[in-house]
Amino acid sequence: MSEIGEEYSAVLQRNFIGREPVKPFFSSVTGNIETIPLDGPYWQKNLESRVLFRTAVLHVLALIENPVFLELGPHSALAGPIRQISAEVSSSAPYVSTMSRGEDCTETFLSAVGKLFELNVPIDFSTIVTGGHCLSDLPPYLWNYETEYWQESRISREWRNRAFPSHPLLGVRQLESTSLEPSWRNLLIVDKDCSWLRDHTIENSMIFPCAGYLAMVGEAMRQLSCPHTGLTMRRILISTALLLADMGSTELVTTFRPHRLTDSLQSQWWDFTISSFNGHSWVSHCTGQVMSEAGNPHTAKTDNTPLPRKLESARYYNFMDTAGLQFGPRFRRLENARCGTEQDSSTADMSSMTIGDEENYHLHPTAVDAVIQSAFFAALKGHPDTTLYRRVPTNIASLTVHQCEPSGDMKILTSATLPSHGGDLVGQAQQVLQNGKIIFHMEGLRMSPPQAAEAADKDISQYPARLTWGPHLDFLDDKHLIQPSLPRDVYTPLLDELAQLCLVYTHRLIKDVPTSVSHVEKYQAWISTQVQSLGESIDPAIAASDDESIMAKIRSLTQTMSDTPVAACAIAMQKVATNISGLLSGQTEALDILLADNTFYEMYGSMDTCDRSEFMKHLAHTKPNLNILEIGAGTGASTVQILKDLTLPGARGFASYGNYTFTDISSGFFVSAKELLKGNNNIEFRTLDISMQRKELQRCLDWGSRDCFICEVDRVKGYTIGYQLCTTCSSSQVGQHG
């Protein structure tokens, strides 16, 4: 086209006057917004130049807020390219075509106008609809209201006119049920509906709490009775524990039916059943009776004399944790607890914690669960034997609950006993007081050991602590605490040579090959950077060798190191170099080839080249309740040895740390790591991208509360030799050094 460009421009200039655009004009000639007159030279350039359609569309998406693309042409030819370009920047800008091949042009044009109107684009309808006038002299229509022509089923009408929204635990009323025997159904998704349920863990499983059943019955009773200020329940039986799904939903159905006194006479009580579907059958979890309570709460008569024994709630929650009742912070609401030394009673304050959905309950389930927990304080009188705390509620004789003020102060009074021979813990009476009124009263609570749990270890020391002498970490020479576990001077030269061979071989194959895989592009850039940084330090013999000779040398070196502790590192490098073409095209996944033959796991073991056992043991002795964070834990090979060093010797193997957070950039290793570490307590698994912003990183990691950081420091020369670096840091040090 350049041959006729000048002539084309001259012809245009004779009969054509270019003007500046009056609207934003994104040119596919330059790719930018044009403000100059669109005269002959511009259209000559349009004739001769490559079409920059993608560049122009990207500028529209970047500069125009809420754009709509309208194609004026015989067919929707640009729909596909515009959709692909929009996807690159995660945009969903609408596209409208005025005509389509094989369809009536009038219909497609008017359809396009309608779509633009739906998208709130201003339309001048006067150019489409001709002028007219209204007729005002038509006779009125005689409507007949005697017959109803709207046919609607009962289910449809009740669905449209539901009196109550969905409740996070109870769900919604089943339309197929009758008002004589109503039922409710809920698909419970923990993270969506009630994230606080994650804090109710028993023996490492997320269990639906007894207080949750009581809350479901309370909401159902509120929907059935009006006016309603409270309720009374009796003969409550929790027969089977409900294990909540960590991912997905749990189907719950609550059924009510009137309690019959005789064949023809009913009482004010309702019989209720709460069941769940486990995938192949229905399981009953909780049964009992309930009726509405219309009266006001009674005034409390209390003795303000404090009980003699003061209890540290955090300590006793640790006892519960050891016993298998691993409650999270939202189920640890007891404060300022006291108990008797002779009498079986206790008092405690309810923490003012706000869960966020208190308006859905008479008394929030976390608060009701705290009342149940208080039975331990009263019955055990502060006894530290953790085996006595291994109990869950199974029966409640009766309870009454009234609507409370969530933000108000609450006090818990409890009387409970535990037979000297063991058995079930029995709560005689438990009350919650608010503003001098009894808003919750429960009698006959019975707590039994979990049926599915293993028998308790009978060889448990009755002593609350034992004395162990050892030097403080600050008085030890750290040079002798961390020692290399293999002679690096023997294996490092071999790994250096193998790394250079793999770098040169890989760089030759991929340096000019395009790839559409984003992480492979980064790998290409990294390989080039490493080769450039080595520069003249690369062995001349390697640089002069052809590809076949280099690959033969790679195989030879890998074979030489096959019986050494670093064999897995050599095999991993050889696998990557051998499969580089498949990795580049995206047909082969790096993890697939590294996980084969257990290479990745063995490589992590080879990377753990330091013996830090003495350092970890003395660190744990200096501070036995360490809050530890491991970054890039991977397969957990190093974590196994670290936890072994943090475990006290003995039959029970008490952990000398408070919490251990296992992190990696991907959760792909968590399944095998959880299996590998399943015998250890207080371990939390979290994903972590170390490349995120510092403030976001500190927030995600709860940076200031950590005592010990374990991270992998890479020496990267085409291969990775990792060692674990463990340092104790204060929050100020973390803030200073990042």
Side-chain angles (χ1 to χ4, degrees), residues 364-652:
H364 198 276
T366 58
V368 175
D369 199 86
V371 180
I372 296 173
Q373 297 166 18
S374 68
F376 290 121
F377 294 171
L380 304 181
K381 304 182 183 68
H383 199 287
D385 188 351
T386 56
T387 58
L388 302 178
Y389 290 85
R390 190 173 165 274
R391 284 164 172 77
V392 294
T394 53
N395 293 84
I396 300 175
S398 66
L399 70 83
T400 300
V401 59
H402 292 269
Q403 192 73 40
C404 71
E405 177 59 41
S407 59
D409 295 335
M410 301 182 200
K411 189 175 185 64
I412 302 172
L413 308 180
T414 301
S415 174
T417 60
L418 179 68
S420 58
H421 56 79
D424 292 350
L425 185 153
V426 178
Q428 297 169 334
Q430 294 168 268
Q431 295 180 342
V432 178
L433 310 183
Q434 186 180 62
N435 300 325
K437 301 291 185 179
I438 303 174
I439 61 171
F440 183 93
H441 180 87
M442 178 168 60
E443 294 181 2
L445 168 69
R446 185 173 293 273
M447 302 183 72
S448 310
Q451 294 180 358
E454 299 177 357
D457 186 0
K458 297 181 180 179
D459 186 23
I460 295 179
S461 174
Q462 299 299 314
Y463 299 100
R466 66 178 181 181
L467 189 62
T468 302
W469 290 93
H472 194 284
L473 184 66
D474 291 347
F475 300 109
L476 297 173
D477 184 1
D478 55 3
K479 294 180 181 178
H480 302 291
L481 296 177
I482 302 178
Q483 298 292 333
S485 58
L486 59 84
R488 295 182 180 176
D489 56 333
V490 175
Y491 303 114
T492 300
L494 292 174
L495 287 171
D496 278 334
E497 183 179 359
L498 180 60
Q500 288 192 9
L501 288 166
C502 290
L503 279 172
V504 172
Y505 179 81
T506 304
H507 185 252
R508 289 178 180 178
L509 292 182
I510 71 175
K511 63 179 180 179
D512 296 321
V513 179
T515 179
S516 58
V517 185
S518 59
H519 64 271
V520 176
E521 290 180 352
K522 296 179 181 178
Y523 183 70
Q524 281 182 304
W526 180 82
I527 289 289
S528 300
T529 302
Q530 295 302 309
V531 172
Q532 292 174 5
S533 64
L534 290 172
E536 297 180 357
S537 63
I538 297 179
D539 188 345
I542 296 177
S545 301
D546 58 17
D547 294 346
E548 293 183 1
S549 300
I550 291 178
M551 182 51 67
K553 186 63 175 176
I554 290 174
R555 297 192 190 99
S556 175
L557 278 175
T558 304
Q559 182 62 34
T560 301
M561 290 183 279
S562 61
D563 295 325
T564 68
V566 295
C569 295
I571 293 172
M573 285 190 278
Q574 182 189 12
K575 283 185 174 183
V576 173
T578 305
N579 294 276
I580 190 61
S581 298
L583 294 173
L584 197 66
S585 63
Q587 297 177 350
T588 304
E589 289 292 334
L591 269 182
D592 290 343
I593 62 175
L594 291 176
L595 289 173
D597 303 324
N598 217 23
T599 301
F600 208 50
Y601 182 87
E602 293 176 0
M603 184 177 69
Y604 264 82
S606 301
M607 292 160 56
D608 191 11
T609 58
C610 288
D611 179 8
R612 71 190 70 77
S613 58
E614 288 299 313
F615 177 84
M616 297 303 301
K617 290 176 183 177
H618 287 290
L619 176 64
H621 178 78
T622 301
K623 187 170 184 180
N625 59 340
L626 287 168
N627 189 351
I628 303 172
L629 170 69
E630 183 176 5
I631 301 173
T635 62
S638 301
T639 313
V640 172
Q641 183 59 44
I642 293 171
L643 292 175
K644 182 179 179 181
D645 296 335
L646 292 172
T647 303
L648 295 176
R652 288 191 56 79

Side-chain angles (χ1 to χ4, degrees), residues 316-327:
Y316 287 89
Y317 276 118
N318 290 337
F319 289 159
M320 295 182 198
D321 188 81
T322 305
L325 308 181
Q326 299 144 341
F327 298 144

